[in-house]
Amino acid sequence: MVLRSVTVALQVFEVVAMQQPIGVSEISRRLGMSKSTVQRCLVTLGEAGWIRPEVTAGPTRWVITSKSFGIGRRVGNSRHLRTAALPVLERLRDATGAPVELIVPEGREGVLIERVATAATEWLFLPPGLRAPLHVRADGKVILARLPEEDLEAYLGEGLEMLTRQTVTDPMRLRRELASIRARGWAASIDELVDGVSTLASAVVDLEGRPLAAVSLHLPSEPFQVHQARNRKLVVAAGIEIGARLDGREVGGRAGLEKRR
C-alpha cells in the first residue's frame, strides 16, 4: 500500500513538472485518478517542499519549487562540481593556509562533499558526508541568503536548532544577517558550529543566481580577524570561479587566488 501511494505521488509530481502550472482537475483527467487522490498527493508533495501553489485569483494551480531544481541539478552535476571546484579549493588553501571545504544544500542541511587541508591544518577534521543545519555555519548562511523568500520562510518556520552558545536562533536576527550577506556576497560565523572555529564563506551559484554549493575556509577563532579582509576577497573570488567553471566560462586571473608567500 505504501509503495502504491509513493508511485501515485510520483506520477502526480511528474505531471506537475511537465505541465506547470496545473490544477487538480487537469491532473485528475490526465492520470485517470479521482480528484481527492490527486489533492492528497499535491498536499503531501507541498508539505515536503517539492511543489507549491501558484498565487492566482482563480482555482489553485501547482508548480514545482527550487528544491526540485536543486536536486536535479546536483544529481547531474555532483561529480562535475567536485571536479570543477577541486583546483580552486586547493589554490584557496595555499593562499590562506587554512582548511577549505565545499558543501551542497540538502533539505535543511549542508553536506560536506570536498575538503582540502595540509598537515598543519588538520587541527580541524571534518569527514566528507558531515551534515549540519544551514543556519549554524557561514557556508550554510550564504546558501540561505540566496533562497527564494518562500523557501526561506519554510526553513525559518521549522525552528532554528542551537549547536553552540553563539548559534543564531532568533528568526528576525537571522533574517537581518542574511540580508547583509546577500548585499555583500560573503558570510562569517564565529563559534556557531564548533567552539573555537570561525568560518568565511561565499556561494556558488548558477546563471540564474540559484545556490548550488558554498565554499568556505576555516580558522581558529582567536586570530580570526588577522587578514580577514584579504581572506574575504579570496573566498568570494573562489565561489565566483567555481560557478564560472561549472558554466564553462573563464574568469580572469584565476579568481585572484595566488599562493601565499
Side-chain angles (χ1 to χ4, degrees), residues 2 18 47 57 65 72 113 137 143 172 228 232-233 251:
V2 173
M18 291 186 294
E47 290 175 347
T65 66
I113 65 168
R137 49 195 299 167
I143 290 171
M172 291 303 296
Q228 188 184 140
R232 286 199 303 260
K233 292 179 181 177
V251 175

Side-chain angles (χ1 to χ4, degrees), residues 21-32:
I22 188 171
V24 172
S25 296
E26 189 173 351
I27 297 173
S28 175
R29 286 195 301 271
R30 286 178 177 272
L31 295 177

Side-chain angles (χ1 to χ4, degrees), residues 171-186:
M172 291 303 296
R173 179 182 168 190
L174 182 59
R175 281 193 188 94
R176 290 193 296 270
E177 185 177 350
L178 295 178
S180 296
I181 291 169
R182 231 175 351 257
R184 69 193 183 206
W186 56 270

Side-chain angles (χ1 to χ4, degrees), residues 49-127:
W50 293 105
I51 63 175
R52 62 175 175 81
E54 187 180 50
V55 179
T56 62
T60 301
R61 294 163 70 81
W62 294 82
V63 296
I64 63 175
T65 66
S66 58
K67 177 178 180 178
S68 308
F69 287 113
I71 292 293
R73 179 89 180 217
R74 287 201 298 279
V75 168
N77 283 344
S78 178
R79 183 175 299 177
H80 180 41
L81 172 60
R82 294 179 65 190
T83 300
L86 186 57
V88 183
L89 302 181
E90 290 174 339
R91 292 202 305 274
L92 181 58
R93 174 203 58 197
D94 294 343
T96 62
V100 177
E101 296 178 358
L102 184 73
I103 72 161
V104 294
E106 189 169 298
R108 291 180 54 82
E109 298 175 316
V111 182
L112 178 61
I113 65 168
E114 189 60 81
R115 181 176 187 272
V116 295
T118 65
T121 58
E122 285 296 344
W123 53 271
L124 173 65
F125 178 73
L126 297 176

Side-chain angles (χ1 to χ4, degrees), residues 91 95 230 233-234 237-238 241 251-259:
R91 292 202 305 274
R230 175 175 177 270
K233 292 179 181 177
L234 292 175
E241 183 178 357
V251 175
R254 285 194 163 195
L257 298 178
E258 297 177 358
K259 295 206 172 184

